[in-house]
Amino acid sequence: MPVLRQIAQLGHPVLRTPAEAVAFPLSAEVRALIDDMLATMREADGVGIAAPQVYESLQIFLVAPRPNPRYPDAVEEPPIVVVNPEIVERSDELVKGWEGCLSIPSLRGEVPRHRRIVARYRDAEGAVVVREFEDFVARIFQHEDDHLRGLVFLDRLESPRDLVAEREYRRRLAPG
């Protein structure tokens, strides 16, 4: 039975520490961690979560876009388990888009990200996956990958003017 984990908040050192590579085959503890991360992310209405966000400094994250109150226009795709990732190709085209973070719940920022990436990683079974991601899903992947390197979306802002309070962001989304 998955456990809802506490989410590390900005300022905790685990969010600024590069994560450790994960050994295969995955242990029962790491498999349980992945289940816990999925449950925690869903409970918090996230579209991705990285192990450091639940106080585990391991190179694991989930990419799980789906419409929810935080991202009402998100596409829906099955969750992807990403272990020991490497972004091997990035498009030249950068696109600014709004991002939030479960570890920074009160702020949203308009962050430039590569529109398209190609990533190599291992799945939960240990298979090597090479996959292309575009647009919102590429944005999630890059955001979560940053967490494994001790970065948060605030580090990617072009200007502090690209930052808004979560309440103001939601007001802007409201119809009418």
Side-chain angles (χ1 to χ4, degrees), residues 42-61:
R42 287 197 166 139
E43 177 69 20
D45 286 329
V47 293
I49 195 168
Q53 291 183 274
V54 294
Y55 300 95
E56 299 287 347
S57 194
L58 297 171
Q59 289 187 20
I60 303 170
F61 63 76

Side-chain angles (χ1 to χ4, degrees), residues 8-159:
Q9 299 297 290
L10 183 64
H12 193 283
V14 73
L15 296 175
R16 294 304 195 172
T17 303
E20 298 292 323
V22 177
F24 281 86
L26 297 182
S27 67
E29 292 82 11
V30 170
R31 288 183 178 280
L33 167 65
I34 291 168
D35 291 343
D36 293 352
M37 288 169 59
L38 183 60
T40 301
M41 178 195 66
R42 287 197 166 139
E43 177 69 20
D45 286 329
V47 293
I49 195 168
Q53 291 183 274
V54 294
Y55 300 95
E56 299 287 347
S57 194
L58 297 171
Q59 289 187 20
I60 303 170
F61 63 76
L62 303 178
V63 174
R66 65 189 174 99
N68 65 50
R70 294 183 71 239
Y71 295 96
D73 299 324
V75 297
E76 182 145 9
E77 292 189 14
I80 301 165
V81 176
V82 176
V83 183
N84 300 337
E86 177 187 4
I87 297 175
V88 295
E89 187 180 313
R90 294 168 172 85
S91 66
D92 290 336
E93 181 184 4
L94 293 174
V95 177
K96 285 176 86 170
W98 289 103
E99 293 184 23
C101 182
L102 300 176
S103 294
I104 311 170
S106 59
L107 296 173
R108 289 283 180 123
E110 204 170 13
V111 181
R113 298 275 186 193
H114 297 276
R115 192 188 72 72
R116 186 189 63 77
I117 61 168
V118 176
R120 180 176 35 242
Y121 57 92
R122 293 177 82 174
D123 66 15
E125 304 313 313
V128 174
V129 178
V130 177
R131 183 168 168 189
E132 180 179 79
F133 297 95
E134 293 182 341
D135 302 315
F136 186 60
V137 182
R139 177 172 298 283
I140 298 168
F141 194 104
Q142 291 169 85
H143 177 111
E144 302 308 333
D145 189 66
D146 276 354
H147 277 301
L148 304 187
R149 291 157 205 338
L151 300 170
V152 296
F153 80 88
L154 301 174
D155 300 320
R156 300 285 187 191
L157 295 173
E158 291 177 339
S159 164

